[in-house]
Amino acid sequence: MNVLVINCGSSSLKYQLIDMDGEKVLAKGLVERIGIEGSLLKHEKTGLDKLVIEENLKNHKDAINLVLKTLLDAKYGAVKSLDEIDAIGHRVVHGGEKFACSVVINDEVIDTMKENIGLAPLHNPPNIIGIEACKEILPDVPMVGVFDTAFHQTMPPVSYIYPLPYELYEEMKIRRYGFHGTSHKYVSERVADLTGKSLEGTKMVTCHLGNGASLTAIKDGCSFDTSMGMTPLEGLVMGTRCGDIDPAIVTFLMDKQDMTAEQVDNLMNKKSGVLGISGVSNDFRDIEAEAEKGNKRAQLALDKFAYTVKKYIGSYAAAMGGLDYIVFTAGLGENSSSARKEICDGLEFLGVEIDDEKNKTRGKEAEISKDGSKVKVFVIPTNEEVVIARDTKEFTSK
Ligand code: ADP
């Protein structure tokens, strides 16, 4: 069975065609600048060089048509006919409370996704546009929606309720949802594979540290608490997002600086985080390089980031009543040994002991804790596409 995994952003589309017999990636790629001048597709057939196609793409439908044409290409393609695409799995950012697991997409599901737009105005519309475009082009191919929020639907009320008037939860569904669910799920399941032990009875913190960053407390293999909230703005210090701040700062800025809600939203989402503190960049590589040259604000941004992750790990260990595993994943978590070290330094009291030699690893699965460390620490590259493909296979064969 071949599953096409699609992840639509506002002006981009990532895809992977996966043969589920052995979970082999046949081809993958990225379309950028959809609807903007200079749109292009970067495609890679496994085992061949990258192919770049520059073509004017007005919208996501154009983009999907180009992807399908490329997948049929005699040299770079991976299938001879579109009939060889058995199902399509779509990443959908916000499933609200309605979607606690993946779902086969029909018109009713699309309508419900549209009702959730208010909860994720930046992310959900492009996801839905991608779904509708696929439905138009390949009406007979079954599609499954896989939600970033679904894994976190096991959180207990004490984790997801905000201390606001309860009616806001009942009437407007204002609560913690959490994101990066497919990533947290994937890496936690890999821990079970790597240790050869069930997750039943275990306590784990998974750290998805990329441009967007979130931590999840996982108890018995299920999400117990997570740092992102109703939106992906809450929690850790991120590339450009502020994470946790005193909520009164919002009204203070509106009042004192005459800022509109949209301006404050933009400031917190796009101009804050490590970019805001350092003034250098949102990319940790640039900030690490500047800090090494002695830039104090760059160092402060790195320190604040690591300090916040450390605080969350400690609080989740307390909330779960212990800790057995820590997992690092995503761009920074997989690649930056200095960030991992700074985060884990000082957590020895919890039983976390990093092996500096093992911690030099980059971008591949490894255990980086010392042999006798009570808490086992892993680096596990995330693979959200395979989770989407697995769910697509499972839900279409039901
Ligand atoms: P997202 O999907 O949220 O854009 P990624 O998981 O791709 O994020 O992570 C991207 C981030 O990872 C980059 O902004 C960069 O800061 C960080 N990163 C990637 N490689 C390295 C590295 N070798 N050292 C430090 N940071 C890195």
Side-chain angles (χ1 to χ4, degrees):
M1 176 185 192
N2 292 331
V3 175
L4 179 62
V5 174
I6 290 194
N7 179 354
C8 277
S10 56
S11 64
S12 70
L13 185 160
K14 287 189 211 152
Y15 62 93
Q16 277 194 14
L17 183 68
I18 302 178
D19 175 358
M20 294 312 287
D21 185 16
E23 297 185 341
K24 287 186 296 287
V25 177
L26 303 175
K28 63 181 178 181
L30 166 69
V31 189
E32 289 173 305
R33 303 181 62 85
I34 300 169
I36 310 170
E37 206 182 318
S39 34
L40 74 163
L41 175 144
K42 293 178 190 158
H43 175 88
E44 203 180 334
K45 177 178 174 171
T46 304
L48 286 189
D49 295 341
K50 265 199 186 139
L51 168 76
V52 178
I53 303 175
E54 287 175 31
E55 193 172 310
N56 183 28
L57 303 167
K58 290 190 304 296
N59 51 41
H60 287 75
K61 191 175 162 195
D62 284 358
I64 289 166
N65 271 320
L66 179 61
V67 169
L68 295 175
K69 195 172 118 193
T70 312
L71 287 172
L72 288 169
D73 184 82
K75 181 173 176 198
Y76 286 94
V79 290
K80 293 204 170 56
S81 141
L82 292 182
D83 293 343
E84 291 172 44
I85 297 175
D86 300 295
I88 303 175
H90 290 272
R91 176 197 184 205
V92 183
V93 169
H94 214 310
E97 279 192 320
K98 291 254 173 72
F99 299 114
C101 63
S102 301
V103 63
V104 175
I105 297 172
N106 56 28
D107 289 342
E108 199 188 325
V109 167
I110 296 178
D111 286 345
T112 313
M113 284 178 186
K114 286 181 178 165
E115 285 167 22
N116 282 335
I117 284 179
L119 290 170
L122 295 178
H123 295 93
N124 274 19
N127 300 156
I128 297 169
I129 289 169
I131 290 169
E132 290 187 320
C134 284
K135 193 176 135 208
E136 229 179 293
I137 303 166
L138 297 169
D140 298 325
V141 179
M143 300 196 285
V144 171
V146 181
F147 303 91
D148 276 19
T149 48
F151 179 62
H152 301 299
Q153 281 293 308
T154 50
M155 283 189 293
V158 74
S159 298
Y160 70 67
I161 200 76
Y162 287 122
L164 291 165
Y166 197 76
E167 299 75 46
L168 292 180
Y169 165 57
E170 289 179 312
E171 288 158 22
M172 298 181 72
K173 299 293 166 208
I174 294 179
R175 52 159 283 181
R176 176 183 312 285
Y177 290 95
F179 298 86
H180 294 141
T182 44
S183 176
H184 290 292
K185 178 175 178 201
Y186 174 79
V187 298
S188 62
E189 288 175 354
R190 281 302 294 155
V191 169
D193 295 340
L194 292 170
T195 57
K197 290 187 189 142
S198 148
L199 295 182
E200 202 61 44
T202 66
K203 293 155 185 151
M204 172 173 3
V205 175
T206 49
C207 311
H208 178 109
L209 310 178
N211 221 337
S214 69
L215 253 62
T216 298
I218 299 177
K219 208 174 169 183
D220 301 319
C222 300
S223 175
F224 179 77
D225 202 349
T226 190
S227 61
M228 283 179 169
M230 181 174 100
T231 76
L233 181 58
E234 193 184 345
L236 306 176
V237 178
M238 302 180 220
T240 61
R241 289 175 234 161
C242 60
D244 300 335
I245 56 168
D246 180 347
I249 295 170
V250 175
T251 43
F252 183 85
L253 284 174
M254 293 172 88
D255 199 26
K256 301 282 186 236
Q257 301 255 343
D258 252 348
M259 290 173 83
T260 62
E262 196 187 338
Q263 286 169 328
V264 180
D265 190 66
N266 188 48
L267 177 136
M268 293 188 299
N269 273 294
K270 306 254 169 77
K271 297 183 182 158
S272 301
V274 287
L275 167 70
I277 298 177
S278 70
V280 171
S281 165
N282 63 324
D283 193 303
F284 284 87
R285 285 163 289 200
D286 302 339
I287 305 172
E288 284 176 1
E290 270 299 307
E292 252 167 54
K293 286 189 225 150
N295 182 326
K296 290 210 164 57
R297 272 174 58 187
Q299 189 59 54
L300 180 61
L302 296 175
D303 292 347
K304 179 73 182 177
F305 175 81
Y307 176 74
T308 313
V309 176
K310 193 196 306 274
K311 271 209 312 196
Y312 262 98
I313 293 174
S315 69
Y316 284 162
M320 291 187 289
L323 188 61
D324 302 301
Y325 308 114
I326 296 175
V327 183
F328 289 102
T329 192
L332 183 76
E334 291 166 25
N335 292 298
S336 175
S337 38
S338 58
R340 293 191 298 254
K341 178 159 175 57
E342 201 177 342
I343 291 163
C344 292
D345 264 353
L347 292 179
E348 293 78 10
F349 78 101
L350 279 176
V352 179
E353 288 181 80
I354 294 290
D355 182 318
D356 288 339
E357 206 45 47
K358 291 186 195 165
N359 185 37
K360 285 183 183 154
T361 187
R362 281 180 60 172
K364 48 179 198 287
E365 283 185 351
E367 187 184 332
I368 58 165
S369 41
K370 286 187 181 159
D371 286 344
S373 178
K374 183 175 125 346
V375 176
K376 289 193 182 309
V377 185
F378 295 96
V379 172
I380 301 179
T382 193
N383 192 342
E384 292 161 279
E385 288 76 14
V386 87
V387 175
I388 296 173
R390 281 176 194 165
D391 273 18
T392 304
K393 180 181 169 190
E394 181 189 335
F395 282 77
T396 48
S397 44
K398 265 183 187 167

